Amino acid sequence: MKRSLDENDLTVVSVFVNPTQFAPHEDLASYPRTLPADLAALSSIQGPRSPSLVFAPTVSEMYPSSFGTGSDTGTFVDVGPLGQLMEGASRPAFFRGVATVVTKLFNIIQPSHTYFGQKDIQQALLLRRMVDDLRFAYPTAETLHIVPSARESSTGLALSSRNAYLTDTERSYAPTLINALREGEKLWLAGETKGAVMHVMGTLVEQAQDRSKKDGVEMRLDYIEMNDPWTFNPIQASDTRSSLRDGQTDVVILSGALWVGKTRLIDNILLGDINKIIF
């Protein structure tokens, strides 16, 4: 939002909890809905520009046929096999819901530029591909921007609505994922193979799990993986930074998902020429 305010005369902020990207067993009912606090934060912005409009539709307005029940009575956007990889392997309904609601937002607002956070890197890359594949006039792939994740300065924890679920004790273990990813980044940049990087990161998470149990916190690793940002396929265990560069793969997504108590946290680091993605 701050990036948009810096670069555009008019900024529209959308606030909507999208029911179609939640599976039946997920946390739609309890997901944080903090519109009054969001509006207060927007009103407090100091600077030459402030948001021009907050778009906070109801579910029935966004889903006039299906009313957001997840039924197939309405029209949906399917991103295809890419939506079944990485995050999609754990959340198979997620990207269909995301693509559908964002298509609706783009059709309603018709933004010249849009801004998405790196924390949801696969989502942002899929949307960039979607607007190109479907030949959107507004935005285009070139004007769908991905900006670095916002983080807590002291811990590095990526900011997320779901962080509100964490207890004080759980919060002390929440940076486990980013700490492991950062260690993996160091090893990858030092020339280690993916296999070696994965082993060290897995060990760090296991050690944190052992410590957390003593404090009554259950942690469960969903996945840590290294993927090509264009195909989302995992790179090979024998791959190194130099071998991929020789093969013209100049960016790798190092990402993971970790359960801390009942809260699922995701995060990622981009390895390589990030300017091909972050712009």
Side-chain angles (χ1 to χ4, degrees):
M1 185 194 65
K2 291 178 180 178
R3 169 91 178 267
S4 179
L5 291 173
D6 287 341
E7 297 178 357
N8 302 279
D9 291 331
L10 303 176
T11 292
V12 176
V13 179
S14 63
V15 182
F16 182 66
V17 178
N18 177 36
T20 64
Q21 67 194 60
F22 289 79
H25 66 282
E26 293 182 333
D27 57 343
L28 173 61
S30 61
Y31 192 85
R33 292 164 172 80
T34 58
L35 183 58
D38 296 338
L39 296 177
L42 293 172
S43 298
S44 69
I45 292 174
Q46 302 293 321
R49 296 190 182 107
S50 58
S52 310
L53 174 71
V54 175
F55 181 57
T58 65
V59 172
S60 61
E61 287 172 329
M62 293 301 289
Y63 292 93
S65 296
S66 58
F67 296 98
T69 61
S71 69
D72 289 330
T73 57
T75 303
F76 291 83
V77 178
D78 193 330
V79 297
L82 293 180
Q84 306 302 313
L85 301 171
M86 292 177 62
E87 269 290 287
S90 297
R91 305 184 69 191
F94 179 71
F95 290 115
R96 178 177 183 260
V98 168
T100 299
V101 77
V102 172
T103 294
K104 292 169 184 275
L105 291 172
F106 288 170
N107 285 338
I108 293 167
I109 304 300
Q110 298 187 29
S112 56
H113 292 264
T114 59
Y115 300 84
F116 291 84
Q118 181 188 333
K119 185 179 77 69
D120 299 296
I121 187 63
Q122 185 182 9
Q123 167 182 293
L125 289 171
L126 278 172
L127 293 174
R128 189 177 278 170
R129 177 172 298 209
M130 179 189 78
V131 300
D132 193 40
D133 286 347
L134 298 183
R135 316 312 290 168
F136 273 59
Y138 303 101
T140 65
E142 291 73 25
T143 61
L144 193 155
H145 305 285
I146 303 175
V147 299
S149 301
R151 299 184 180 278
E152 292 183 352
S153 58
S154 58
T155 67
L157 180 66
L159 302 187
S160 169
S161 298
R162 286 191 170 94
N163 291 356
Y165 294 153
L166 296 166
T167 66
D168 289 342
T169 305
E170 290 170 347
R171 180 170 283 275
S172 68
Y173 289 99
T176 294
L177 179 58
I178 186 57
N179 290 342
L181 296 178
R182 284 174 170 171
E183 188 63 28
E185 178 185 28
K186 293 178 186 176
L187 295 170
W188 180 256
L189 295 179
E192 294 289 350
T193 65
K194 174 197 172 181
V197 171
M198 297 288 287
H199 175 73
V200 170
M201 291 189 297
T203 299
L204 289 174
V205 172
E206 289 174 0
Q207 291 172 346
Q209 286 173 317
D210 291 339
R211 294 193 299 272
S212 71
K213 288 178 182 177
K214 297 176 183 177
D215 288 330
V217 175
E218 290 293 329
M219 291 202 303
R220 176 171 60 86
L221 183 64
D222 189 339
Y223 68 88
I224 289 182
E225 190 51 274
M226 301 177 72
N227 299 79
D228 182 291
W230 319 121
T231 67
F232 299 144
N233 289 323
I235 66 173
Q236 301 299 311
S238 59
D239 283 333
T240 65
R241 180 189 183 195
S242 59
S243 70
L244 288 180
R245 191 187 305 118
D246 292 341
Q248 302 305 308
T249 300
D250 43 15
V251 191
V252 172
I253 302 173
L254 173 59
S255 65
L258 176 70
W259 288 91
V260 180
K262 295 181 179 180
T263 306
R264 186 175 183 271
L265 304 175
I266 65 171
D267 211 335
N268 68 82
I269 291 175
L270 296 175
L271 308 173
D273 186 1
I274 65 172
N275 291 324
K276 297 208 177 231
I277 292 177
I278 301 294
F279 56 80

